[in-house]
């Protein structure tokens, strides 16, 4: 199993309830880079080390011009909110010119802003304002493929002798007796059907991992690398703090175009399940990533590369960091911990431990929600305790040793609103895959801000591109801000604690009560000795925990509650028995 295969599997299986696996520069750089460590001291951690990065899906965050679609000026309007939440950076899903077949992941110009989202001047304004709010801006960068409307592809598909023909992956394919053009091999698109599409002008087929409107670039051609690196420099020069690299494990393909081994059975799109050894995770990918890292390292300010890295096992993430050399991505996403539906203490204990021991000391990046997955509220929720479970998920994300990704709406408990009628579906895979695969609209509905109008304050236009979820009257930023016990304020408190605690930012992790299959308990111990205890009851029954602190080398005699959900936990002696209520989350200082 490997990334992209798992990517599709995760979607299909969450639907089936059987999931198997699956960026201120200028002023800011001055302050970030200011302190020179004393001679002999370890350099300070880079800004992203324990950062909270907030993913913005721009179509659905805030509409400022009343067209029913979010935009860059809308994001600028909401920077005060993001600062109050405490996030260090925002990652903005693609906002470049695009035919919007895959809602921006099909880019036709890498050095401009799509008019639906605004102008380059709006982007520069957003960047400058974000800096004033101490928020960095990270852009999404799609290196694997372009739009079929990109000038490179238009030229490439017009003539075999075009200088850009070799920017993409072409095959003569095969022809049957009736003269039909057949694909050269069994490679399938993640979005359904053969991954090969015939282009009449060149009488060849091109390869596309995703939609046929998203032709894969040929990264074996050095001019592709030059062109894409130039596009990244365009944004780095403007002052973005880094990139989230889309589908990064899919850059190269097997030059011999060999058939992928069959795994048996078919996926939600009706295609054979394949072991993608020739289209995913090819060794040559890493040479490209090392050159990319060297390029971004020529910029000041610890520019960051986040990777969309779906892998089957924690150890498979290590090469994406560059192993012991640490010279590739700073933060490939660890999608194993949080993109599953099993709320099992043992499973989290194992995966978090692996992330400490199998990554050459690199920093994990945990993620529970994004614009491609059923929201964690629904994946982990049991229908009765979703609010408590969401607090456990937030505590896990924000108190374990990692950088953290939050997806818009996750902090208020937005729910997944999957369309119930195929005629309402906007995401193409939900149309072709209906009813097995209903697409990703459910996790992309507009951000719920307030009760000022029926669009939850997202837009003045009653015709929003996706409908606003009906629960917005209760689930929204304004209402939850006023409620001290809300999920939103739970996130605020957790992020504030994370910022103020050396143990949470920097501390090592000591797993406690290791044989407890219901409660995940760990201590975070700062180099200076500050120690915090985190205990999360992942069951619907009260559970007693036995800490055994002394035996694990964690020092302290008293536990003083810092945060607890749902109810208070009284201060207690460190060796006393503590019973946590169903789905309780407890964070205490060890004194
Ligand atoms: C991953 C992105 O998150 C997803 O939304 C997109 O459809 C594919 N990559 C293709 O770019
Ligand atoms: Mg590719």
């Amino acid at each position: 199993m490997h990334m992209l295969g798992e990517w599709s599997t995760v979607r299909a299986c969450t639907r089936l309830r059987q999931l198997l696996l699956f960026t201120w520069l200028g002023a800011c750089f001055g302050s970030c880079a200011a302190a020179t460590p004393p001679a002999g001291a370890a350099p300070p951690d880079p800004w992203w080390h324990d950062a909270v990065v907030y993913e913005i899906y721009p179509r659905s965050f805030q509409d400022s011009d009343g067209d029913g679609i979010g935009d860059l000026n809308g994001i600028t309007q909401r920077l005060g909110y993001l600062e109050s939440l405490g996030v260090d950076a925002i990652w903005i899903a693609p906002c470049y010119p695009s035919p919007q077949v895959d809602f921006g992941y099909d880019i036709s110009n890498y050095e401009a802003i799509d008019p639906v989202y605004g102008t380059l001047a709006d982007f520069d304004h957003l960047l400058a304002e974000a800096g004033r709010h101490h928020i960095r801006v990270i852009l999404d960068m799609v290196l694997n493929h372009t739009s079929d409307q990109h000038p490179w592809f238009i030229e490439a598909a017009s003539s075999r002798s075009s200088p850009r023909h070799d920017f993409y992956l072409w095959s003569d394919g095969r022809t049957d007796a009736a003269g039909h053009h057949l694909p050269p091999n069994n490679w399938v698109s993640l979005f359904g059907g053969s991954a090969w599409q015939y282009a009449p002008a060149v009488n060849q087929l091109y390869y596309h991992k995703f939609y046929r409107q998203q032709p894969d670039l040929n990264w074996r051609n050095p001019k592709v690398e030059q062109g894409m690196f130039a596009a990244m420099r365009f944004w780095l020069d403007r002052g973005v703090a880094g990139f989230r690299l889309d589908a990064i494990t899919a850059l190269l393909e097997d030059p011999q175009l060999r058939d992928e081994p069959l795994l048996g059975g078919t996926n939600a799109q009706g295609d054979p399940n394949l072991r993608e050894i020739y289209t995913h995770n090819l060794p040559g990918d890493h040479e490209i990533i090392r050159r990319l890292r060297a390029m971004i390292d020529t910029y000041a300010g610890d520019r960051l590369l986040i990777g969309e890295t779906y892998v089957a096992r924690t150890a498979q993430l290590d090469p994406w960091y560059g192993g012991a050399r640490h010279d590739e991505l700073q933060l490939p996403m660890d999608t194993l911990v949080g993109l599953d539906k099993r709320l099992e203490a043992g499973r989290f204990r194992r995966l978090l431990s692996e992330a400490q021991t199998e990554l050459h000391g690199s920093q994990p990046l945990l993620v529970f929600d994004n614009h491609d997955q059923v929201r964690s509220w629904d994946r982990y929720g049991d229908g009765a305790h979703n609010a408590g479970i969401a607090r456990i998920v937030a505590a896990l994300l924000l108190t374990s040793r990692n950088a953290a990704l939050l997806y818009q709406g996750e902090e208020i408990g937005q729910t997944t609103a999957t369309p119930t009628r195929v005629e309402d579906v906007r995401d193409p895979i939900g149309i072709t895959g209906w009813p097995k695969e209903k697409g990703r609209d459910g996790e992309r509905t507009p951000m719920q801000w307030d009760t000022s109008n029926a669009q939850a304050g997202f837009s003045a236009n009653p015709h929003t591109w996706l409908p606003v979820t009906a629960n917005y009257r209760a689930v929204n930023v304004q209402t939850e801000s006023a409620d001290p016990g809300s999920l939103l304020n739970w996130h605020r408190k957790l992020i504030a604690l994370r910022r103020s605690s050396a143990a949470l930012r920097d501390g090592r992790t000591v797993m406690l009560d290791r044989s407890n299959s219901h409660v995940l308990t760990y201590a975070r111990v700062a180099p200076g000795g500050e120690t915090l205890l985190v205990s999360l009851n992942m069951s619907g029954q009260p559970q007693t925990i036995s800490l055994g602190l002394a035996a694990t080398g964690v020092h302290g005699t008293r536990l003083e509650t810092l945060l607890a959900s749902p109810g208070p936990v009284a201060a207690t002696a460190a060796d006393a028995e503590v019973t946590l209520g169903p789905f309780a989350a407890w964070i205490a200082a060890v004194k």
Side-chain angles (χ1 to χ4, degrees):
M1 298 262 289
H2 33 88
M3 150 195 139
L4 291 166
E6 280 146 20
W7 187 90
S8 62
T9 306
V10 80
R11 285 217 49 82
C13 293
T14 46
R15 301 291 184 211
L16 296 170
R17 296 271 159 208
Q18 295 172 350
L19 188 140
L20 301 169
L21 248 189
F22 242 50
T23 258
W24 76 86
L25 300 136
C28 160
F29 276 155
S31 63
C32 299
T36 307
D45 285 328
W47 69 270
W48 48 261
H49 179 264
D50 45 86
V52 178
V53 180
Y54 185 95
E55 182 193 351
I56 291 182
Y57 196 69
R59 285 187 92 73
S60 296
F61 192 60
Q62 177 68 60
D63 173 21
S64 73
D65 61 2
D67 64 355
I69 301 173
D71 46 51
L72 296 184
N73 287 337
I75 299 174
T76 305
Q77 287 171 13
R78 295 296 186 180
L79 287 167
Y81 166 70
L82 295 169
E83 185 177 9
S84 80
L85 184 56
V87 307
D88 300 277
I90 50 175
W91 143 35
I92 308 175
C95 51
Y96 319 98
S98 162
Q100 306 288 341
V101 171
D102 193 18
F103 298 114
Y105 284 95
D106 49 325
I107 304 172
S108 53
N109 179 353
Y110 283 74
E111 299 180 12
I113 296 295
D114 193 297
V116 79
Y117 298 126
T119 64
L120 203 49
D122 295 335
F123 179 79
D124 288 339
H125 180 60
L126 165 57
L127 200 56
E129 287 300 309
R132 274 189 268 286
H133 289 275
H134 313 290
I135 293 171
R136 290 173 163 87
V137 177
I138 294 169
L139 287 180
D140 213 311
M141 185 49 60
V142 184
L143 300 178
N144 179 64
H145 49 270
T146 68
S147 160
D148 63 348
Q149 298 306 304
H150 191 289
W152 288 354
F153 187 75
I154 293 176
E155 202 182 308
S158 67
S159 156
R160 285 193 195 204
S161 58
S162 141
R164 297 237 162 82
H165 185 64
D166 189 46
F167 275 39
Y168 297 86
L169 218 71
W170 297 97
S171 165
D172 294 340
R174 296 171 290 128
T175 315
D176 68 10
H180 297 123
H181 303 279
L182 302 178
N185 60 25
N186 71 349
W187 298 357
V188 295
S189 160
L190 204 63
F191 290 160
S194 168
W196 294 93
Q197 176 71 25
Y198 181 68
V202 290
N203 191 30
Q204 284 180 304
L205 299 99
Y206 65 87
Y207 171 70
H208 58 96
K209 180 93 196 169
F210 299 94
Y211 293 118
R212 69 180 158 77
Q213 297 92 339
Q214 295 170 297
D216 271 52
L217 285 161
N218 173 19
W219 276 85
R220 297 189 194 272
N221 181 338
K223 292 196 176 117
V224 165
E225 181 174 311
Q226 283 163 22
M228 296 307 278
F229 281 22
M232 286 187 271
R233 285 181 173 279
F234 176 87
W235 298 104
L236 290 165
D237 290 339
R238 295 194 105 77
V240 304
F243 301 101
R244 174 264 190 191
L245 303 172
D246 184 74
I248 195 63
T249 57
L251 282 187
L252 291 175
E253 291 77 29
D254 176 40
Q256 297 174 51
L257 309 184
R258 282 171 281 191
D259 275 347
E260 309 262 38
L262 298 170
L263 284 172
T266 55
N267 63 23
Q269 299 281 352
D271 296 314
N273 293 318
L274 302 175
R275 198 148 75 82
E276 295 168 304
I277 56 174
Y278 296 127
T279 58
H280 171 247
N281 225 342
L282 270 67
D285 291 338
H286 297 281
E287 290 163 34
I288 300 166
I289 302 298
R290 282 198 288 277
R291 291 194 293 272
L292 172 54
R293 174 65 182 275
M295 186 275 278
I296 73 142
D297 279 351
T298 63
Y299 286 82
D302 292 313
R303 312 287 174 114
L304 171 66
L305 296 173
I306 292 175
E308 187 195 24
T309 42
Y310 285 93
V311 294
R313 288 192 306 279
T314 306
Q316 292 173 340
L317 278 175
D318 190 50
W320 291 96
Y321 288 94
R325 295 183 314 275
H326 305 281
D327 58 356
E328 297 193 29
L329 310 178
Q330 293 99 327
L331 295 174
M333 289 180 204
D334 183 337
T335 60
L336 294 160
V337 174
L339 292 180
D340 194 296
K341 62 165 286 192
R342 287 168 289 174
L343 193 74
E344 293 169 6
R347 192 183 148 267
F348 286 118
R349 190 179 295 124
R350 175 175 61 80
L351 289 170
L352 293 176
S353 300
E354 287 174 6
Q356 304 307 310
T357 57
E358 296 183 0
L359 303 178
H360 283 97
S362 290
Q363 184 78 340
L365 173 61
L366 295 191
V367 46
F368 283 88
D369 285 271
N370 64 34
H371 63 283
D372 294 326
Q373 310 290 343
V374 170
R375 287 182 178 272
S376 58
W377 177 276
D378 306 284
R379 266 190 288 124
Y380 294 105
D382 63 358
H385 305 92
N386 293 43
I389 292 170
R391 283 162 176 76
I392 286 177
V393 165
L396 186 50
L397 177 68
L398 295 164
T399 67
S400 52
R401 184 184 154 269
N402 59 266
L405 265 177
L406 263 181
Y407 173 52
Q408 66 182 56
E410 180 179 352
E411 75 275 27
I412 56 172
Q414 271 194 224
T415 55
T416 315
T418 305
T420 53
R421 308 181 317 167
V422 66
E423 52 268 42
D424 297 332
V425 178
R426 296 282 169 273
D427 185 16
I429 54 168
I431 300 171
T432 55
W434 192 272
K436 260 187 167 171
E437 169 59 69
K438 296 182 173 161
R440 299 163 290 181
D441 294 351
E443 50 267 28
R444 299 175 176 182
T445 58
M447 180 75 183
Q448 296 165 202
W449 293 104
D450 54 46
T451 55
S452 61
N453 62 18
Q455 294 78 252
F458 161 69
S459 173
N461 190 328
H463 304 288
T464 54
W465 83 281
L466 282 177
V468 173
T469 305
N471 65 10
Y472 80 90
R473 282 190 192 80
V475 181
N476 68 73
V477 168
Q478 186 187 45
T479 304
E480 292 193 31
S481 289
D483 172 4
S486 69
L487 183 61
L488 174 56
N489 281 321
W490 178 251
H491 278 87
R492 285 197 171 117
K493 288 177 207 160
L494 283 165
I495 294 174
L497 183 61
R498 185 179 164 97
R499 280 186 181 275
S500 68
S501 161
L504 291 187
R505 285 195 313 273
D506 243 357
R508 63 194 168 90
T509 305
V510 181
M511 290 293 173
L512 301 169
D513 199 15
R514 287 165 184 249
S515 55
N516 194 320
S517 57
H518 298 294
V519 188
L520 175 67
T521 305
Y522 49 89
R524 300 289 315 279
V525 186
E530 179 204 344
T531 303
L532 258 62
L533 176 96
V534 180
S535 192
L536 308 169
N537 180 2
M538 300 185 174
S539 79
Q541 288 79 42
Q543 301 289 345
T544 300
I545 52 175
S546 88
L547 299 173
L549 283 186
T552 60
V554 175
H555 304 292
T557 53
R558 252 188 102 63
L559 300 170
E560 291 177 12
T561 298
L562 297 170
L563 287 173
S565 158
V569 178
T572 175
D575 54 7
E577 273 196 350
V578 180
T579 298
L580 294 178
F583 296 110
W586 183 41
I587 301 167
V590 183
K591 301 277 179 158

